[in-house]
Amino acid sequence: MNVLVTGATGFVGRQLVDAMLTETDHDVTVLVRDATAYEPPGDVTVVEGNVLEPGGFEASLEQIDVAYYLIHAMDARGDFAERDRRGARNFALAANAAGVERIIYLSGLGSDADKLSSHLASRREVESILATGDAEVTVLRAAVIIGDGSASFRMIRQLATRLPVMVTPQWIRTPCQPIAIDDVVAYCLAVLERPETAGETYEIGGPDRLTYREMLLKTAEIITGRRPLIIPVPILSPRLSAYWVGLVTDVPKELAYPLIGGVRNPVIVTDDRLAQLVDVEPTPFEVAVRRAVSTEVGTDERLEAVTRPGRDAE
Ligand SMILES: NC(=O)c1ccc[n+]([C@@H]2O[C@H](COP(=O)([O-])OP(=O)(O)OC[C@H]3O[C@@H](n4cnc5c(N)ncnc54)[C@H](OP(=O)(O)O)[C@@H]3O)[C@@H](O)[C@H]2O)c1
């Protein structure tokens, strides 16, 4: 198959391209915004382009059978949801014109019955925009992905290790079902090989359901051997929480604020059809954290590059 990976410079995209090259014999094309800054990990066709600029990225879709959409726009100031909407629309139109058969999109967990945060609502909107074309879309919905380079895990890690005492918002008690990056990649590859997953929406998660408090405590214990004291208080609004996280961690605020807005929504798997269908051994949270922190090298530089000073919305 001819497979396109968008977001190939990102946390998930990088790992997926590596796995495609080592575990499959598909022909891989990647779409990157700056080809000069991208070192291909092997035999991949590199196409430069930006999904916000119609006319400039469509060559990446020529002869493609299946495209992974691993893009989000929380990397610059301004309205990320508007940019995500526009990027998904441009991509769906271009995929249609190129005759792409399938799109695989990594989205966010969370119940439609809840009032979803702007971040999670935007993920849902992208799901439906991608589905407006002729390509059949497979959606994988995940909560926090644990791995080297994951912005959401980076926030957890830095909060867990930088503060011995934390006065936290109430969302610290929200349940979450984090998933290891290895498992995410395994599910991404598994759906590619199973045509019956085309057109389906699946939820994916690890074996542990934890509150954010439990994730912070376990992460701190693994890294420092100590558990911080966590004191939830009712007075911290989502906006104040975002400022607080912005002060303690170095995740760019364009990324941190929407992610923090999402932590009031429970993100747990309620439908495990994909886990029943494919053989992916779920990685325990603690194993995933140990792997992530043992490989977390060079991430600072990459995350800083995500939001370069002065970078504005396109
Ligand atoms: N990480 C998690 O915990 C998590 C959890 C659930 C779902 N997801 C979803 O998984 C997907 C991938 O997330 P990630 O963590 O890998 O994100 P990431 O590391 O921030 O990577 C985002 C990628 O999108 C690319 N991109 C952004 N705007 C673009 C544009 N206009 N045109 C072309 N490429 C563009 C970036 O390229 P540049 O290098 O040029 O910036 C980068 O490669 C997203 O949809 C996200 O919502 C992630």
Side-chain angles (χ1 to χ4, degrees), residues 6-14 31-34 49-53 69-75 84 87 105-109 119 123 140-146 149-153 179 255 259 302-303 305-306 308 311 314:
T6 66
T9 54
F11 161 57
V12 179
R14 275 173 193 273
L31 175 67
V32 297
R33 283 193 286 192
D34 179 1
N50 182 331
V51 294
L52 294 175
E53 292 168 5
Y69 195 75
L70 300 174
I71 290 173
H72 68 78
M74 292 178 286
D75 64 340
D84 268 324
Y105 173 53
L106 183 59
S107 181
L109 270 175
H119 162 232
R123 306 295 83 207
L140 301 178
R141 292 179 178 165
V144 171
I145 302 175
I146 309 296
S150 165
S152 42
F153 175 64
I179 181 168
L255 199 49
L259 290 178
R302 212 187 64 69
L303 270 174
V306 165
R308 289 184 276 279
R311 184 166 173 174
E314 286 157 78

